[in-house]
Amino acid sequence: MNILMITDNDPAGMAIAFANAINRHTEHTCRLITTSEKYGFEYEKDIHLPDIEDDDFGEVEQLLKNADIIHFHVLRDENSHLGPLVIRDYIKEKRILHHHHGHPDYILNVGAYNEKYRQRRRKVIVSTPDLLKIAGNATWIPNLVPLKDVQFMPRFDRSLPQEPIRICQSPTRKFDKHTREYRNVIAGLLKKYDGRIESLIIEKRPYFECLQIKKKCHIVFDHMRGWFGIASLESLSHGKPVIAGLDEWNIRCIREFTGGAEIPWVVARTEEELYKAMDRLIGDGDLRQQIGERSRHFMESSWSERKVLDLLLSIYASL
């Protein structure tokens, strides 16, 4: 099959990650068209419309014509245009899939989106389990990381300087990821440990630079919104203890996907629980090592690219 993914900005780098995984692990061909870039993360690109020279959209048009499946990410649909090309002019006999990643406009207007997809008899996939509660006719396809790429290989705790113990968060939007609570907790821990710990809030950095910084940390905090972000998966792959406020719904969905594997996250749902979790991890290097090794094993055994792709390919086959 020829699969064409279309999105504005690449959500957390997942569009290019899925495209690469399809091309790496299957007989299918996947291409990605992006039209904009947010946050300056410098994700890898395939065809990026602002880079097209001399208004030559011939390759874009050929990809639209040849596609068997058009896989829209975020808010894109067939009424969007790619330069001078209107996508709906090319969708006859194409199979279409919509992939949502939690964009605020989607969440605020989910009823309208659900009705649109119902009328058009479209299937929807979502990137995190919490979206299953609002998205109609939806399937959760987990995000993925390329575990064997060097950027995602582990550097276990004992290979790092033992002090200061580096704790980090990499929030795209601080207001949305409990960064205030994280700072409150760190302020209390700094008083207790007096120079033995160091906190990093990683933002406005290119993606691969961010990964290198996180790899040199001892403890990673995601957020406490009930679900988990790609930041969790990256740091689990790095073999780090990862703290997140997973709720029971997300834990159940994770266990269903993994076949009941032990959850490696350190769960903290309140500021008080976050303090206790960090305090325990700071004070026990052996525990950090054990949880980190469990984190990497979990990703290798239960969250491989191939496992995620099998789900996506089953959705493609059902369109």
Side-chain angles (χ1 to χ4, degrees):
M1 293 187 297
N2 291 320
I3 302 150
L4 179 61
M5 295 186 176
I6 301 173
T7 186
D8 291 325
N9 62 290
D10 191 344
M14 282 301 99
I16 193 67
F18 272 99
N20 285 338
I22 289 168
N23 291 327
R24 182 184 295 122
H25 295 289
T26 80
E27 71 279 12
H28 308 299
T29 299
C30 186
R31 302 295 303 274
L32 169 64
I33 297 173
T34 50
T35 66
S36 64
E37 184 174 357
K38 288 178 71 174
Y39 309 117
F41 290 155
E42 299 180 16
Y43 295 119
E44 181 187 357
K45 298 178 179 65
D46 180 5
I47 297 177
H48 188 52
L49 260 59
D51 294 338
I52 290 178
E53 297 180 356
D54 301 322
D55 292 331
D56 184 2
F57 285 81
E59 184 179 13
V60 173
E61 183 169 32
Q62 198 60 45
L63 289 172
L64 285 167
K65 289 178 177 178
N66 291 345
D68 300 300
I69 293 174
I70 296 179
H71 180 150
F72 290 114
H73 289 267
V74 196
L75 306 180
R76 279 274 168 170
D77 66 12
E78 66 269 29
N79 293 317
S80 307
H81 63 87
L82 301 174
L85 309 174
V86 180
I87 299 171
R88 65 171 175 266
D89 294 338
Y90 300 89
I91 65 168
K92 186 177 181 181
E93 298 181 356
K94 311 287 187 190
R95 289 173 279 172
I96 295 176
L97 182 65
H98 296 272
H99 194 161
H100 282 285
H101 300 261
H103 191 287
D105 288 350
Y106 172 70
I107 293 172
L108 288 171
N109 300 287
V110 68
Y113 281 98
N114 286 342
E115 179 61 19
K116 178 175 76 172
Y117 299 144
R118 187 192 65 79
Q119 290 180 0
R120 298 178 189 180
R121 298 181 180 179
R122 301 276 174 79
K123 287 191 174 181
V124 175
I125 59 177
V126 294
S127 62
T128 52
D130 57 299
L131 296 175
L132 290 173
K133 295 181 178 181
I134 61 172
N137 193 27
T139 302
W140 173 42
I141 303 295
N143 290 326
L144 52 76
V145 294
L147 302 178
K148 299 298 185 181
D149 284 11
V150 293
Q151 294 90 347
F152 299 94
M153 295 292 284
R155 184 181 180 187
F156 286 117
D157 193 52
R158 291 198 178 100
S159 70
L160 300 170
Q162 288 307 291
E163 289 190 4
I165 294 169
R166 294 159 63 93
I167 308 165
C168 74
Q169 186 193 31
S170 55
T172 303
R173 299 179 299 273
K174 293 192 294 291
F175 69 87
D176 194 40
K177 298 296 175 68
H178 293 99
T179 301
R180 180 182 299 173
E181 290 81 356
Y182 168 79
R183 283 176 167 152
N184 291 342
V185 166
I186 291 295
L189 291 169
L190 283 169
K191 292 177 183 178
K192 178 175 180 176
Y193 288 97
D194 189 24
R196 291 178 54 203
I197 65 172
E198 178 180 314
S199 169
L200 302 170
I201 296 176
I202 308 166
E203 55 183 335
K204 300 178 182 177
R205 299 289 188 99
Y207 179 56
F208 289 113
E209 181 182 336
C210 175
L211 290 177
Q212 288 302 312
I213 294 170
K214 291 205 296 182
K215 190 182 284 193
K216 295 176 183 177
C217 292
H218 300 83
I219 302 166
V220 178
F221 172 59
D222 193 343
H223 57 76
M224 298 184 291
R225 295 187 62 80
W227 46 280
F228 59 94
I230 185 64
S232 272
L233 300 181
E234 292 162 354
S235 293
L236 293 174
S237 181
H238 282 156
K240 306 296 179 183
V242 179
I243 305 173
L246 300 180
D247 62 20
E248 292 302 324
W249 169 265
N250 279 265
I251 289 172
R252 189 180 81 186
C253 290
I254 292 167
R255 285 182 172 146
E256 288 176 357
F257 168 63
T258 62
E262 180 183 0
I263 302 297
W265 281 267
V266 178
V267 176
R269 295 169 179 160
T270 66
E271 189 172 317
E272 181 181 4
E273 290 178 1
L274 180 59
Y275 181 96
K276 290 178 179 178
M278 286 190 179
D279 188 23
R280 184 164 54 99
L281 290 168
I282 291 167
D284 192 337
D286 289 338
L287 180 63
R288 292 197 306 270
Q289 178 78 9
Q290 293 164 12
I291 294 175
E293 291 177 356
R294 192 160 67 237
S295 296
R296 177 67 189 187
H297 175 73
F298 171 82
M299 293 299 291
E300 290 178 336
S301 62
S302 302
W303 213 287
S304 67
E305 284 185 303
R306 184 72 248 189
K307 183 177 179 67
V308 175
L309 283 181
D310 285 345
L311 283 178
L312 179 60
L313 293 175
S314 70
I315 296 294
Y316 284 161
S318 72
L319 296 176

